Amino acid sequence: MKHKFKNYLKLGILLFGISITLTNCEKDDTTFENNTQHSIPSDFKITKFNSLNNTNNSSVISRIQGIKHAKLNTTLTKEVYNSEFDFTINTDNIKLIEIENHQSYIFVIERSYFTNKTENLVLTKQEDNSYKTYLITYVFTEVQKQQIRNRQSILGNFETDIQELANDMSSDLLSKIEYNSNTNCWVSTTEIHTIGNDYWEITDTNQCQHIDPITGLNDGTCDVDIIQSVFGCAQDISGGGTTSDSSSSPDGSGPSSNTGSGDGGGLLGYQSNSQPCYDKKCSNLHITPSLPEFEETTPCDELKKLATPPTILPKFTELKNHSNDTTPYGKKEKGFKIRKNPTTNSLSAGTVVTGSNDGTNFGVNIPPTPYMTAIVHTHPTTGSIKMFSPQDILFLARMANVIDSSISTTDLTVFLIVNGESYAIRFDDVPTVQALQAIYNNKGKRERFKRKLRQLYEKDNNSYTGQTSTIGQQKQRMLTFLNNQNLNISMYQADDSNGFLTKWEKYNNDGTKAPCN
Amino acid sequence: MKNLLYISIILLSLTSCKAQTIIPIFSTDDIPENPNYYHKDVANDLNKFEGAWKYEDTSTNTEFTIILQKKLMLNDNDGSYLYDLLIGEYFYKKEGTIMMNTLADINNTSIVGDYHNISGNSILHKYNAPRCETCNTSERRVQININHPTETEIAGYLTLRHIVDNGIEKLEAINTNASIMGYTQANYNQMPFGEFVFIKQ
């Protein structure tokens, strides 16, 4: 009996030990990795030039400068203006794309009028070392534009039109390549004129007519052959690759080179080798969308664009003046919304509203709307929260929840004016938009988020002297908090030394800041 | 030999376990989102706020009642730290009209932690906002969130100071706006914002 009891005791100790092992120990860490790899072609290279001469390619230089009817724009000396096509070729921002032995130079085309199209002039090197010229037109949504800015694959459909331009850039279109959505192929329609350039009308692929330049009538001749061929099929668009930057050295003595690698290559459209290719020409055309707004727009540029239109800037001025008001009236917040017209992309400001200040509520209440791209508001200098409140940060997610798909969530901005200083916060990337939305949409997480940041702001209030935390201390608390939360939300501050809201600086996590426009 | 085995298992069980880092709730340090951290009410600051508390103004037929309970070692099963928390529900009658009554949810076991209409554990000293000029420097108040039950973006920071007045336990309270912009004004007007003195029931 005693022996049996001993065995039970031993078994009990063993089970107790095992149960302790199972219940008290630390959980295994689970790591979730976001796979951000793109399906990208790895063998392409993009080189950027900021002037035509820096390309060191005499064929390209003469091709651009020799465009028929072209003239150098005297006010914009780095641009070539083509009066006949009514566009300007920007030579500040040239890309050279090289894939295997193929080369394409991409130029940004600018119009003197508003267009929602992205237009590029592309010079593509041929086997005989000559260049063909294409006019490439894209129509992207704002979301797709942001995907390009973020070097992400473009999701969804977008319109593309490719026209091959005549070597002499006459008004006649020698070749046009159109995408046929039924066959998923590009069809090249080439016109071969046997008479000099005149006024031609193509009525359909089988008929044409020649208008006599003197009589203005159809003279019955048909001196054009039209050839159709499949140019290529199943375009693959992706981002990635290697980027080199080649630009003038600061003293202007010549080009300098800066080569990097990784995800800097941007969007690339090309004919995949794995796809049917009925015409060798298809492997010669390599394109990537290029526009000043894609390549040169920084968040600081965007902040300037939002703040400085003539209809909006006076409202910023009104709020700035209010933020310096130390009277009880100054305790009330003021604010207004900035709306983006989905058709014209023009910006407009809403009415300036004022908070109530009933002793417990000083804030403004501006509801988010589908086309609201930014909100501007003040905080009183004497208030306990001088920097962005937890609610201000969460409002970014609230805007993202209701915004129209034509507006990119990473364009959403919350401006704050306090003590005459202008600040802004914006998402750096789409995953952070989703991460903040996840916090906002979960009440438990949202409450903890609000509680933690508020506690941090209160941390610097001295419990013995009564000294309250400063704007600088709260700034640093917020930056550290966002960093600890793994939220890529950047803060910016306007540098008004050379004009109100024209220059903006971005904060680093350590509280230092650097100009970004 | 067997004894040695058993002792080894027990020692192994004890030594392989990682200690939990306790951060007092009166500390305002940023706590890592990690279940090995415990935001603990080490000084039992929350205890004196537990119970049912009632504000009543018979001249305006206004009543504001809160029930608060302290919960230990909560987490959201999302990899966050553990925390002690005051949770609660409330009843609000304004000038004879019942604006809010969530008291029944205090015992609803499906509602946990911050999902209650009142929750929080922020410890405030004399000079934290809202300032308490009559507090002494060692006194600790608590600040909790009070939410609108259906439009949870509407919220207040309910700051509570515990006092004993002629042997009666009271809470001096101020509820200030903590809403996220875009709220419905009609729902906002249902909330008990302002200053109150609660008496323990």
Side-chain angles (χ1 to χ4, degrees):
Chain A
M1 184 63 190
K2 192 178 174 185
H3 182 70
K4 205 172 180 180
F5 176 75
K6 206 172 175 183
N7 280 341
Y8 281 134
L9 185 65
K10 285 175 183 175
L11 183 65
I13 292 171
L14 180 64
L15 290 173
F16 176 74
I18 292 170
S19 67
I20 290 284
T21 309
L22 293 176
T23 57
N24 275 14
C25 290
E26 186 179 10
K27 269 185 179 176
D28 287 340
D29 285 338
T30 306
T31 305
F32 297 97
E33 292 182 0
N34 289 326
N35 187 347
T36 54
Q37 293 291 311
H38 305 300
S39 55
I40 57 173
S42 58
D43 56 346
F44 76 91
K45 179 183 172 189
I46 297 179
T47 309
K48 294 178 182 175
F49 304 98
N50 65 358
S51 83
L52 199 53
N53 286 337
N54 284 344
T55 61
N56 286 326
N57 186 324
S58 57
S59 299
V60 170
I61 294 170
S62 62
R63 181 78 187 88
I64 292 295
Q65 292 188 331
I67 289 174
K68 189 178 177 181
H69 304 306
K71 63 179 181 183
L72 282 176
N73 186 318
T74 53
T75 55
L76 299 167
T77 55
K78 286 185 173 181
E79 294 178 338
V80 174
Y81 179 71
N82 184 295
S83 58
E84 192 162 326
F85 280 86
D86 193 25
F87 60 65
T88 301
I89 305 165
N90 186 332
T91 54
D92 288 350
N93 177 17
I94 306 167
K95 280 182 189 170
L96 166 62
I97 299 179
E98 295 172 281
I99 303 176
E100 296 170 345
N101 297 321
H102 307 298
Q103 286 186 353
S104 293
Y105 286 87
I106 317 285
F107 295 82
V108 172
I109 281 181
E110 295 167 354
R111 300 278 180 180
S112 57
Y113 51 86
F114 172 79
T115 175
N116 64 346
K117 294 174 180 173
T118 300
E119 294 179 285
N120 294 159
L121 190 76
V122 180
L123 267 58
T124 301
K125 194 175 184 180
Q126 305 299 301
E127 288 177 359
D128 62 357
N129 290 331
S130 66
Y131 282 87
K132 282 196 171 187
T133 310
Y134 297 90
L135 180 63
I136 317 281
T137 305
Y138 310 90
V139 181
F140 295 118
T141 65
E142 290 298 319
V143 171
Q144 288 169 333
K145 286 178 183 176
Q146 194 57 42
Q147 286 163 347
I148 294 168
R149 289 191 195 106
N150 294 342
R151 309 290 191 247
Q152 296 170 319
S153 295
I154 295 180
L155 302 176
N157 298 321
F158 57 88
E159 293 176 31
T160 307
D161 184 60
I162 302 175
Q163 296 179 350
E164 184 180 341
L165 301 181
N167 283 339
D168 60 1
M169 289 288 278
S170 75
S171 59
D172 290 335
L173 193 66
L174 290 187
S175 180
K176 182 173 183 175
I177 303 167
E178 295 173 302
Y179 188 73
N180 184 320
S181 57
N182 294 326
T183 60
N184 292 328
C185 291
W186 287 342
V187 179
S188 166
T189 304
T190 306
E191 308 164 6
I192 302 172
H193 293 250
T194 55
I195 297 180
N197 295 325
D198 257 331
Y199 187 76
W200 295 89
E201 281 185 358
I202 311 296
T203 54
D204 58 40
T205 55
N206 300 316
Q207 294 180 347
C208 70
Q209 57 185 9
H210 179 234
I211 308 298
D212 187 294
I214 298 172
T215 64
L217 300 172
N218 180 5
D219 64 9
T221 62
C222 186
D223 297 317
V224 61
D225 289 330
I226 298 171
I227 302 170
Q228 279 198 321
S229 62
V230 174
F231 184 83
C233 301
Q235 186 185 30
D236 182 8
I237 303 276
S238 59
T242 302
T243 299
S244 299
D245 287 314
S246 183
S247 56
S248 293
S249 55
D251 61 2
S253 59
S256 61
S257 178
N258 174 20
T259 301
S261 63
D263 197 25
L267 181 90
L268 184 74
Y270 77 116
Q271 296 299 311
S272 168
N273 291 335
S274 61
Q275 300 298 330
C277 187
Y278 300 100
D279 185 326
K280 283 185 180 177
K281 280 188 292 186
C282 69
S283 62
N284 288 339
L285 182 62
H286 305 289
I287 56 175
T288 181
S290 185
L291 251 194
E293 69 169 289
F294 291 175
E295 306 305 322
E296 296 173 2
T297 300
T298 65
C300 291
D301 293 325
E302 293 294 328
L303 293 172
K304 181 185 172 185
K305 273 188 202 172
L306 284 167
T308 57
T311 56
I312 297 176
L313 191 61
K315 298 193 175 185
F316 269 94
T317 306
E318 180 185 342
L319 265 59
K320 180 183 178 182
N321 293 337
H322 180 74
S323 75
N324 286 317
D325 184 350
T326 54
T327 68
Y329 179 70
K331 268 195 164 186
K332 295 181 179 184
E333 289 184 11
K334 278 181 179 258
F336 64 91
K337 67 171 79 170
I338 298 176
R339 184 180 180 275
K340 192 173 193 177
N341 185 307
T343 308
T344 64
N345 283 341
S346 62
L347 298 165
S348 58
T351 308
V352 174
V353 295
T354 307
S356 59
N357 187 7
D358 59 3
T360 60
N361 180 13
F362 306 99
V364 286
N365 179 25
I366 299 174
T369 53
Y371 297 105
M372 178 174 157
T373 189
I375 188 169
V376 190
H377 75 304
T378 61
H379 277 183
T381 311
T382 53
S384 59
I385 295 187
K386 300 168 181 74
M387 258 299 108
F388 293 92
S389 67
Q391 290 88 336
D392 291 338
I393 298 169
L394 289 167
F395 189 71
L396 275 174
R398 183 155 203 192
M399 284 199 287
N401 279 351
V402 303
I403 206 73
D404 185 81
S405 61
S406 65
I407 295 176
S408 169
T409 50
T410 50
D411 280 343
L412 300 174
T413 307
V414 174
F415 288 96
L416 169 66
I417 305 179
V418 57
N419 198 30
E421 296 170 345
S422 306
Y423 299 89
I425 49 172
R426 290 164 65 93
F427 293 112
D428 291 347
D429 49 53
V430 174
T432 299
V433 179
Q434 294 161 345
L436 194 67
Q437 283 176 307
I439 293 169
Y440 178 85
N441 295 332
N442 179 302
K443 185 172 180 286
K445 288 181 179 179
R446 190 204 310 158
E447 294 305 320
R448 226 170 45 230
F449 182 92
K450 286 162 61 179
R451 191 158 62 230
K452 284 178 80 174
L453 182 56
R454 183 167 170 86
Q455 284 175 339
L456 288 171
Y457 281 159
E458 292 291 335
K459 189 179 174 71
D460 296 309
N461 288 349
N462 191 303
S463 60
Y464 295 102
T465 66
Q467 190 175 0
T468 55
S469 59
T470 63
I471 293 175
Q473 286 170 324
Q474 292 194 3
K475 233 183 272 183
Q476 191 54 56
R477 292 287 177 198
M478 192 189 87
L479 291 167
T480 305
F481 173 74
L482 292 173
N483 191 40
N484 290 345
Q485 295 281 315
N486 293 320
L487 291 171
N488 296 325
I489 295 173
S490 290
M491 180 166 71
Y492 306 85
Q493 183 178 357
D495 171 8
D496 293 336
S497 55
N498 291 312
F500 186 39
L501 304 179
T502 54
K503 287 281 178 192
W504 288 82
E505 295 177 308
K506 180 178 177 178
Y507 275 93
N508 302 310
N509 286 337
D510 62 2
T512 59
K513 54 188 175 180
C516 71
N517 69 337
Chain B
M1 186 61 194
K2 280 182 182 174
N3 287 340
L4 193 61
L5 180 67
Y6 300 146
I7 291 166
S8 300
I9 289 170
I10 292 168
L11 286 178
L12 192 67
S13 306
L14 296 174
T15 56
S16 65
C17 297
K18 190 171 177 177
Q20 203 164 39
T21 304
I22 290 176
I23 297 177
I25 58 167
F26 55 76
S27 160
T28 49
D29 289 336
D30 194 6
I31 310 155
E33 296 286 344
N34 183 322
N36 288 320
Y37 287 82
Y38 179 15
H39 205 206
K40 183 176 170 61
D41 182 19
V42 293
N44 290 321
D45 287 314
L46 302 181
N47 292 15
K48 57 180 175 284
F49 297 96
E50 284 194 286
W53 304 84
K54 183 176 177 181
Y55 162 86
E56 194 167 21
D57 182 350
T58 51
S59 65
T60 60
N61 196 13
T62 297
E63 182 187 329
F64 182 18
T65 297
I66 55 176
I67 296 178
L68 300 176
Q69 293 177 357
K70 179 179 167 181
K71 299 291 181 185
L72 303 177
M73 296 188 81
L74 295 175
N75 73 32
D76 296 343
N77 296 318
D78 60 355
S80 72
Y81 56 89
L82 307 176
Y83 50 94
D84 293 344
L85 195 72
L86 267 185
I87 61 98
E89 298 292 343
Y90 63 105
F91 170 87
Y92 181 48
K93 182 170 72 175
K94 185 180 179 183
E95 295 169 356
T97 304
I98 295 176
M99 298 289 182
M100 223 68 86
N101 186 0
T102 71
L103 292 178
D105 286 341
I106 194 73
N107 295 318
N108 185 339
T109 52
S110 67
I111 302 174
V112 179
D114 282 306
Y115 292 90
H116 279 282
N117 289 301
I118 296 176
S119 65
N121 61 6
S122 301
I123 301 298
L124 270 56
H125 60 65
K126 176 182 173 72
Y127 293 116
N128 287 131
R131 283 184 168 223
C132 175
E133 299 300 340
T134 56
C135 291
N136 62 53
T137 52
S138 62
E139 195 171 335
R140 289 177 184 155
R141 294 172 291 155
V142 67
Q143 189 172 74
I144 52 187
N145 280 0
I146 177 166
N147 292 89
H148 190 284
T150 57
E151 189 174 341
T152 56
E153 286 85 358
I154 297 175
Y157 287 131
L158 183 61
T159 305
L160 303 174
R161 179 194 183 197
H162 181 269
I163 58 170
V164 179
D165 181 16
N166 288 326
I168 300 171
E169 284 189 80
K170 295 180 179 177
L171 294 180
E172 289 179 351
I174 179 166
N175 187 24
T176 55
N177 181 32
S179 307
I180 298 171
M181 279 187 288
Y183 51 81
T184 314
Q185 193 62 44
N187 284 344
Y188 180 89
N189 294 340
Q190 295 175 333
M191 291 289 286
F193 288 112
E195 293 187 34
F196 309 90
V197 176
F198 292 94
I199 297 173
K200 191 159 191 181
Q201 302 300 297

